Amino acid sequence: MEEYSVDDPTQLLEAASDYAYYPGVQNDASAKIFLDRFPLPVIINALQTKADVPGLENILVACLERIFKTKYGASLIPQYMDFVRVGLKVDSQIVRCLACKTVLCLLENLNEESVSSLHLIVDYDVYPLLLDCLINGNEQVATASMDAIKMLAGFPQGKEIIFPTNSNEATHLGELANRCSSLGRVRVLALIVKLFSVSNPVASIIYKSNLLRLFEEEIKNTNDTLVTLSVLELLYELTEVQNSREFLSGNSLLLLLSSIISNKSMESILRSRAMMISGRLLHNNYMFVDELSVQTVISAIDRVLDSAETADADEFEAALEALGQIGSPIQGAELLLSSSPPIARHVIDAAFDQHGRGKQLAGLHALGNISGETRMENTMILNNNAEESLRRLIYETLSKTSKLTPSGFVLSVLRQDSKIRLAVYRMITGLVARPWFLMEICSKQEIINTVTDANTETTKIGMEARHNCCKAIQKALILSSKVIGDTYRDAIAEKVHEAVRRGPYLAKKLETQPAVMTAERF
């Protein structure tokens, strides 16, 4: 490498800095021009021998990162795998990070049909080094390593590398987790979450490899609150991954979460996250969970909301949000309304309680879910017992307030801030499919005026929620000829129809414009 040594790196530094921090896109042509002037061995040699020059390492790493992101630069990586391997093992965190990103660039430019680059991964024993970066690198190195491993998992041969059939293999993720510190185990779990999102086949391999037990084992170990919270956060991320739905219906996980929710000696934030995860799991996998596990979770949340010791507002709101998630599917809504006493009472009490804004907001959103705002039109209406329970709870709860009726309550909350109005629109969208609630909405002209006024909302989400509310009222009115008098109904229907026709964003009514203009006079 002596022929590639640089006595004075000044010119290299200036050129590398210009290339690395050029504000535009660097293409294959610009990468080739730079490398013709300063070949890769020259840059690598400078990194190895001139690291003590101030700023050199940062500039050269940034330069190489941009070079390898071009197709031309990536095509050169196979020739320099020795240096990639060395880079994955050096003490410098910035160079290790570059090495991980270089592996990613190699894989990103690999054709599905070509296996030569994957052979390089095996031949140079790259995967174990990526795992070492994951466990022992700093946060940036660990993230870059995860990205490379995730890309590797997208190839059939890559799956064989990441998921060895022998569970005692040193690179098996379960075995790796057993050897790690708590931070290392959290990073392994973070990698599993990323891998789950690659594809359904990869998620299936993770499930069959029994790697999901790592989450349960870590949650059971309550010695470190921060670690437990980190694992719960990762589990929450996992519930949001599409590929995880059919694999996360395990009853043992729900029972474990229920035990956290019920454990008053645990930190409030842990119980809150456990409730949120339970709600998400049941929302996504209700049909795959046995009734006993569902009842156990709901009962645990019920006790939290019933307890006078639940003084933490965040925990109370998390419980309400969890019930809203559970009540989104029709089966969950019917269960919450048909239990004795109905667990949905907590949601309705909070929604109509105007003394705690955060609780009311969570309650209104949860009531919107339970009443069907998120469901398909043909599943909005529940069975007779649940529908009667919903109606009775709403009227009984409101009769104890100053508003007395649903119409009085709706009108009062529509006068509040935009976040409350958003939740109210969602609640109306769900409830208005019931003739009794439609009559309440139509009984006050001011309610109709507010929801049809395109100037009421200024945010995109608010405009869309108001418009969806108008569409729901319009559908309900079409089916309501026997509920509301024709004349009154027609006047409301015309106003609502116009609001729907305008769309969510158009505030001003369209005026007819003349098609023929007066001729200009010369």
Side-chain angles (χ1 to χ4, degrees):
M1 291 290 290
E2 286 185 11
E3 66 270 27
Y4 295 115
S5 62
V6 179
D7 294 327
D8 182 7
T10 305
Q11 284 190 329
L12 172 60
L13 270 180
E14 289 178 357
S17 179
D18 290 342
Y19 185 91
Y21 303 117
Y22 177 69
V25 176
Q26 295 287 18
N27 55 26
D28 287 351
S30 62
K32 188 174 189 309
I33 290 170
F34 183 86
L35 291 176
D36 285 345
R37 184 181 177 192
F38 299 102
L40 274 176
V42 172
I43 303 173
I44 292 169
N45 180 271
L47 260 180
Q48 292 175 328
T49 61
K50 305 290 183 180
D52 56 334
V53 175
L56 179 140
E57 190 174 70
N58 287 335
I59 291 173
L60 293 187
V61 164
C63 176
L64 286 172
E65 189 175 327
R66 292 199 73 174
I67 287 172
F68 291 141
K69 282 183 178 178
T70 66
K71 285 191 176 296
Y72 176 73
S75 70
L76 302 176
I77 296 173
Q79 304 170 40
Y80 296 94
M81 287 302 293
D82 280 324
F83 300 109
V84 173
R85 179 178 167 79
V86 170
L88 290 168
K89 297 190 289 184
V90 296
D91 293 333
S92 168
Q93 294 296 306
I94 190 173
V95 173
R96 289 184 92 181
C97 190
L98 170 67
C100 292
K101 290 178 178 180
T102 303
V103 175
L104 176 63
C105 292
L106 175 72
L107 295 170
E108 282 178 335
N109 288 276
L110 171 66
N111 293 324
E112 189 94 32
E113 297 77 19
S114 170
V115 294
S116 58
S117 294
L118 284 174
H119 283 159
L120 291 173
I121 299 292
V122 175
D123 293 344
Y124 285 89
D125 211 22
V126 168
Y127 181 63
L129 296 177
L130 288 174
L131 289 179
D132 183 67
C133 288
L134 170 72
I135 301 303
N136 299 312
N138 64 16
E139 188 176 347
Q140 290 73 29
V141 172
T143 300
S145 169
M146 279 189 236
D147 291 338
I149 295 171
K150 180 182 176 182
M151 180 61 66
L152 180 61
F155 299 93
Q157 300 92 336
K159 289 197 282 285
E160 294 174 8
I161 295 170
I162 296 170
F163 304 107
T165 53
N166 183 1
S167 61
N168 294 320
E169 190 87 29
T171 57
H172 188 281
L173 294 180
E175 179 63 24
L176 178 65
N178 291 336
R179 303 195 308 267
C180 287
S181 64
S182 57
L183 174 61
R185 290 195 299 275
V186 169
R187 287 182 173 181
V188 171
L189 295 179
L191 174 61
I192 291 172
V193 173
K194 273 188 174 286
L195 292 174
F196 237 102
S197 66
V198 171
S199 66
N200 195 270
V202 172
S204 180
I205 293 173
I206 292 171
Y207 178 77
K208 291 175 181 176
S209 301
N210 202 24
L211 291 172
L212 293 180
R213 67 173 172 79
L214 298 176
F215 287 91
E216 295 184 30
E217 290 174 0
E218 208 58 45
I219 292 170
K220 286 177 183 175
N221 180 14
T222 57
N223 296 331
D224 190 327
T225 299
L226 288 177
V227 170
T228 305
L229 181 60
S230 296
V231 176
L232 288 173
E233 292 291 346
L234 288 170
L235 187 56
Y236 187 79
E237 285 182 34
L238 190 57
T239 62
E240 294 184 308
V241 176
Q242 184 69 31
N243 296 327
S244 72
R245 292 188 173 184
E246 63 184 276
F247 304 109
L248 283 180
S249 57
N251 297 307
S252 59
L253 179 57
L254 280 171
L255 293 175
L256 176 58
L257 292 169
S258 299
S259 69
I260 293 175
I261 297 168
S262 300
N263 189 345
K264 294 180 181 179
S265 66
M266 296 198 77
E267 295 283 343
S268 173
I269 191 171
L270 296 180
R271 292 198 299 272
S272 295
R273 283 327 258 171
M275 286 188 283
M276 297 287 288
I277 294 165
S278 300
R280 183 59 64 95
L281 284 172
L282 290 176
H283 174 265
N284 293 338
N285 306 288
Y286 196 95
M287 297 296 292
F288 304 103
V289 182
D290 68 54
E291 189 175 342
L292 176 61
S293 297
V294 177
Q295 289 285 4
T296 303
V297 170
I298 291 176
S299 296
I301 296 173
D302 186 34
R303 285 192 295 273
V304 169
L305 291 168
D306 259 340
S307 174
E309 298 175 22
T310 308
D312 187 278
D314 290 338
E315 185 178 349
F316 200 96
E317 290 164 24
L320 292 171
E321 188 171 338
L323 289 182
Q325 289 287 333
I326 294 169
S328 291
I330 188 170
Q331 302 90 343
E334 289 175 349
L335 179 61
L336 294 179
L337 287 161
S338 303
S339 55
S340 183
I343 296 171
R345 71 189 186 280
H346 298 295
V347 170
I348 293 169
D349 284 344
F352 298 155
D353 180 5
Q354 294 184 266
H355 297 295
R357 183 182 180 282
K359 291 180 183 179
Q360 183 180 35
L361 193 58
L364 287 167
H365 278 296
L367 181 54
N369 287 355
I370 292 169
S371 61
E373 191 266 349
T374 59
R375 295 196 291 272
M376 299 293 289
E377 190 176 343
N378 62 341
T379 59
M380 291 182 78
I381 301 299
L382 310 172
N383 62 38
N384 291 338
N385 288 340
E387 282 295 330
E388 180 54 34
S389 175
L390 177 63
R391 184 177 185 276
R392 186 181 64 253
L393 281 171
I394 287 175
Y395 276 104
E396 285 181 357
T397 304
L398 283 171
S399 69
K400 302 169 187 173
T401 71
S402 60
K403 303 306 174 188
L404 296 178
T405 63
S407 59
F409 170 75
V410 169
L411 184 57
S412 69
V413 287
L414 281 175
R415 293 168 177 163
Q416 295 186 33
D417 64 82
S418 59
K419 288 186 177 179
I420 291 289
R421 288 198 306 273
L422 171 63
V424 175
Y425 294 139
R426 293 190 65 241
M427 180 192 73
I428 295 174
T429 302
L431 285 175
V432 80
R434 285 95 181 151
W436 57 268
F437 192 80
L438 175 64
M439 288 183 66
E440 291 283 352
I441 293 301
C442 293
S443 69
K444 290 191 182 294
Q445 185 63 40
E446 200 172 342
I447 294 176
I448 299 299
N449 292 343
T450 302
V451 298
T452 56
D453 184 358
N455 295 299
T456 304
E457 303 304 326
T458 57
T459 64
K460 181 176 183 291
I461 189 171
M463 293 174 184
E464 291 172 350
R466 184 197 61 79
H467 187 251
N468 288 336
C469 179
C470 289
K471 289 195 292 184
I473 295 172
Q474 183 184 46
K475 287 178 184 176
L477 284 168
I478 292 171
L479 304 172
S480 68
S481 56
K482 295 181 181 179
V483 180
I484 303 173
D486 287 346
T487 305
Y488 186 55
R489 172 184 162 282
D490 289 347
I492 295 173
E494 184 178 352
K495 194 174 186 70
V496 173
H497 172 73
E498 178 60 27
V500 171
R501 189 189 69 79
R502 283 199 304 266
Y505 314 117
L506 190 61
K508 293 183 179 179
K509 185 176 180 180
L510 291 174
E511 298 289 343
T512 303
Q513 298 293 327
V516 180
M517 304 294 288
T518 304
E520 291 184 4
R521 296 180 183 272
F522 295 96

